[in-house]
Amino acid sequence: QVQLVESGGGLVQAGGSLRLSCAASGRTFSSYAMGWFRQAPGKEREFVAAISWSGGRTYYLDSVEGRFTISRDNAKNTVYLQMNSLKPEDTAVYYCAADDDFHTIVVVTTRVRYWGKGTLVTVSS
């Protein structure tokens, strides 16, 4: 069992930056692929970024490529999402996710095993 707790959300002006963190419980954190998703008001949840268990492979939503960076520190059981050049359309609740399989996080998101409760990011224009 893995429990995920996100932090770092808040209000920021367009063009600004935020860093989200996701702290995971459990000794097997380093064996899980991790991801970030987001859900804007009135919209479905969408994939944002994923990172493999070793950190050697990452994948991003096209609209955040080059602006967002996912990383992990397995010694601290934490995954991060550095968000730069934020836009109002990035406003959403951001969720951390974990699964045994990197492919599941990127493609078969409905089967992702573990989810955090989310942290709100609001980008003002």
Side-chain angles (χ1 to χ4, degrees):
Q1 190 77 4
V2 176
Q3 292 185 332
L4 305 172
V5 179
E6 303 94 336
S7 62
L11 174 64
V12 63
Q13 289 188 333
S17 298
L18 280 175
R19 188 176 81 155
L20 305 184
S21 299
C22 172
S25 65
R27 296 182 178 180
T28 59
F29 171 79
S30 61
S31 67
Y32 287 100
M34 302 295 296
W36 287 96
F37 293 76
R38 67 186 180 188
Q39 186 167 19
K43 296 187 177 181
E44 293 186 354
R45 186 164 55 190
E46 66 175 353
F47 165 82
V48 175
I51 188 167
S52 62
W53 67 271
S54 68
R57 183 165 50 156
T58 58
Y59 191 77
Y60 296 92
L61 177 70
D62 284 348
S63 62
V64 309
E65 180 91 51
R67 299 189 297 122
F68 290 11
T69 302
I70 188 170
S71 62
R72 67 190 296 161
D73 185 337
N74 286 342
K76 295 182 178 180
N77 281 13
T78 303
V79 63
Y80 305 97
L81 185 68
Q82 177 67 44
M83 305 186 294
N84 299 328
S85 303
L86 282 161
K87 304 175 181 179
E89 52 264 42
D90 295 318
T91 294
V93 176
Y94 282 71
Y95 297 91
C96 179
D99 196 89
D100 302 297
D101 184 19
F102 182 84
H103 179 264
T104 297
I105 291 182
V106 174
V107 180
V108 194
T109 59
T110 55
R111 296 183 181 179
V112 171
R113 292 181 65 185
Y114 303 109
W115 294 94
K117 294 184 177 181
T119 185
L120 177 63
V121 172
T122 303
V123 184
S124 63
S125 57

